[in-house]
Amino acid sequence: MNPSEVPIRKLEKSGISGKIGYIENIRYDDDLFDMVFCSEVIKYFSSEHINEAIKEIVRVLNKFGILIGTIPCHENLSESIVVCPDCGKIFHKWGHQQSLNIQNLPTFFSKRLKVETIELIYFVPWSELN
C-alpha cells in the first residue's frame, strides 16, 4: 500500500509541514527529532520489517529522543483469519501480522533502543467493544 497524500495536505492547510514516505526510509536527517510518535503501525509489519522501521526511527531520533507508540495488545490473530473466496489466500482480516504484548514488545525494540519504560494503558474499556 502506498502512503496517502491526503493527511499531509490537511496538515499543510493548518501550517504544519510534512513529508510522505515509508517508515523504513524516513526522509529526514539523522538525529533530528526529540520524539517520534508511531501509532497503530507496527502491527502490520513482519518481524524483519519491524527491525527496518526501528533502525530508521533510531536514526532520526536524537541521542535523548523518545519513541511513543500505540498498538493493539494481546490480540489473538487467529480469531481474525479469513479466506479470500476468489483466490483462497488466508490472511488476517485487517492485515495484522503481529500480536504484541508487554512481554514481547521489548524484544522488538531493545536491540536498537534503550528501553526504559513500557506501559500498558487501555484507551478504551474493552468491555464496551463487544
Side-chain angles (χ1 to χ4, degrees):
M1 182 185 321
N2 292 321
S4 172
E5 293 188 23
V6 174
I8 300 299
R9 300 299 162 244
K10 288 181 180 179
L11 285 172
E12 289 174 344
K13 287 180 182 178
S14 300
I16 301 169
S17 65
K19 294 182 183 178
I20 298 167
Y22 294 90
I23 197 169
E24 67 269 20
N25 185 17
I26 301 172
R27 296 168 27 194
Y28 286 98
D29 293 335
D30 296 359
D31 304 315
L32 182 64
F33 294 106
D34 295 327
M35 183 189 74
V36 170
F37 182 74
C38 186
S39 180
E40 303 300 310
V41 174
I42 300 296
K43 63 189 174 190
Y44 297 106
F45 297 161
S46 66
S47 295
E48 180 181 319
H49 196 180
I50 289 174
N51 289 331
E52 293 172 17
I54 294 169
K55 182 178 178 182
E56 273 296 277
I57 290 169
V58 170
R59 183 186 65 76
V60 299
L61 274 173
N62 67 36
K63 183 177 180 179
F64 298 104
I66 297 170
L67 169 62
I68 297 175
T70 64
I71 58 166
C73 193
H74 302 284
E75 178 183 12
N76 184 341
L77 296 175
S78 65
E79 290 179 353
S80 297
I81 296 298
V82 295
V83 178
C84 175
D86 186 48
C87 70
K89 182 177 180 180
I90 299 170
F91 57 95
H92 187 276
K93 66 182 175 183
W94 297 302
H96 297 180
Q97 295 187 42
Q98 301 293 330
S99 178
L100 303 170
N101 58 54
I102 203 80
Q103 290 79 31
N104 70 7
L105 198 56
T107 304
F108 288 103
F109 292 99
S110 63
K111 294 175 189 171
R112 299 203 180 270
L113 288 171
K114 179 181 176 188
V115 178
E116 290 187 10
T117 305
I118 295 178
E119 290 185 52
L120 184 59
I121 301 170
Y122 292 101
F123 290 110
V124 179
W126 288 108
S127 60
E128 294 176 15
L129 295 176
N130 296 326

